[in-house]
Amino acid sequence: MQFRHEVKHEISNHDMLILRQRLRMVMKPDRYVINGQYKIRSLYFDNLDDKVLREKLDGANIREKYRIRLYNNDPSVIHLERKFKHGGLGCKTFADLTPEQAQAIADGDVGWMSLSTDQVILGFYTRIRTEGLKAKVIVDYIREPFVFAPGNVRVTLDHSIRTSLSCTDFLNPDCVTIPVKDSPCIFEVKWDNYFPDVIRDAVQLDSRNSSAFSKYAVSRMYD
């Protein structure tokens, strides 16, 4: 597994405007953006005891979660993602899913997963069978991503977070979502072993505070 440094901050709308201008001067937009951004939809999974949610709220040092992710409501690219966190380091692996496979998982039809040769799918299947993971909530938001080759740096600005309440109809673009009350803008930086000074200087904000903000956790408040 390739671990990367990850630092996340809650920022104000004003801070986001400042950072956006700075980042545009020293970084390039992610190649997948449309007009500088894209929409992300994630379907999160947890067990009956809400283990993933409780570990996040309790600040557990080692955590693992699975989600299915879609970009710009385009079903041609769907990822099953495994996110593993150890302190300030994170690692993400993923497997491609067809729309039919993604819908089957959302509906709890997972028997086919045992026949897969993909390690992410098999790992998720094992967690489903041993821990009873089920689809819990959809989270929508807008992401503005920037990249910088030295250090493999990636900076993202996330905002306009919405939740689906109890809806897990992942592939339905008309699934009703509501804005998360008082949700901040989320600024996150990821890099390998080298963090360039030019990026370090660009992201300095006096008002920012390190944050354990979780889009999944805040969306579950509406259950």
Side-chain angles (χ1 to χ4, degrees), residues 34-45:
I34 300 174
N35 296 323
Q37 63 184 30
Y38 48 71
K39 178 181 178 181
I40 292 179
R41 166 164 288 185
S42 296
L43 177 63
Y44 286 90
F45 295 80

Side-chain angles (χ1 to χ4, degrees), residues 22-177:
R22 291 181 184 173
L23 295 172
R24 285 175 176 173
M25 295 177 64
V26 296
M27 302 184 74
K28 296 180 178 180
D30 181 285
R31 60 179 175 166
Y32 298 109
V33 300
I34 300 174
N35 296 323
Q37 63 184 30
Y38 48 71
K39 178 181 178 181
I40 292 179
R41 166 164 288 185
S42 296
L43 177 63
Y44 286 90
F45 295 80
D46 213 332
N47 66 9
L48 291 176
D49 295 325
D50 288 330
K51 177 184 177 183
V52 176
L53 178 61
R54 288 188 293 104
E55 287 180 344
K56 178 62 179 180
L57 296 177
D58 293 343
N61 193 49
I62 299 176
R63 304 190 303 274
E64 180 188 56
K65 66 183 176 186
Y66 285 88
R67 64 195 176 203
I68 297 178
R69 180 160 284 187
L70 177 75
Y71 299 88
N72 290 323
N73 290 321
D74 179 3
S76 66
V77 179
I78 304 175
H79 291 160
L80 168 64
E81 297 182 346
R82 173 188 180 262
K83 186 68 182 289
F84 185 81
K85 290 276 290 183
H86 189 170
L89 299 175
C91 176
K92 183 170 71 173
T93 54
F94 70 89
D96 293 325
L97 297 177
T98 66
E100 293 76 18
Q101 289 172 331
Q103 190 62 56
I105 294 173
D107 294 338
D109 176 11
V110 299
W112 61 272
M113 298 173 69
S114 66
L115 303 176
S116 176
T117 58
D118 188 281
Q119 293 303 306
V120 176
I121 292 176
L122 287 174
F124 187 36
Y125 176 73
T126 299
R127 290 284 304 278
I128 290 173
R129 289 307 193 198
T130 58
E131 299 183 21
L133 294 181
K134 295 183 181 297
K136 288 289 186 174
V137 71
I138 291 172
V139 180
D140 289 337
Y141 57 95
I142 302 298
R143 167 161 289 178
E144 300 179 35
F146 301 86
V147 295
F148 192 77
N152 190 23
V153 181
R154 181 176 176 84
V155 178
T156 55
L157 302 174
D158 296 342
H159 56 89
S160 306
I161 305 170
R162 303 177 66 91
T163 178
S164 64
L165 300 176
S166 298
C167 175
T168 56
D169 194 2
F170 180 69
L171 295 177
N172 179 5
D174 298 320
C175 177
V176 176
T177 61

Side-chain angles (χ1 to χ4, degrees), residues 9 11 14-28 146-148 153-157 187-189 195-208:
H9 304 277
I11 60 174
H14 178 68
D15 288 338
M16 185 176 69
L17 294 175
I18 294 173
L19 281 175
R20 182 187 290 142
Q21 291 302 115
R22 291 181 184 173
L23 295 172
R24 285 175 176 173
M25 295 177 64
V26 296
M27 302 184 74
K28 296 180 178 180
F146 301 86
V147 295
F148 192 77
V153 181
R154 181 176 176 84
V155 178
T156 55
L157 302 174
F187 157 57
E188 186 169 19
V189 185
F195 191 33
D197 288 341
V198 64
I199 306 302
R200 189 186 305 273
D201 292 342
V203 299
Q204 292 300 314
L205 283 174
D206 293 338
S207 59
R208 68 177 185 169

Side-chain angles (χ1 to χ4, degrees), residues 139 161-163 178-183 213 215 218-219 222:
V139 180
I161 305 170
R162 303 177 66 91
T163 178
I178 63 171
V180 169
K181 183 180 179 182
D182 299 326
S183 68
F213 184 89
K215 301 180 188 74
V218 74
S219 295
Y222 292 82

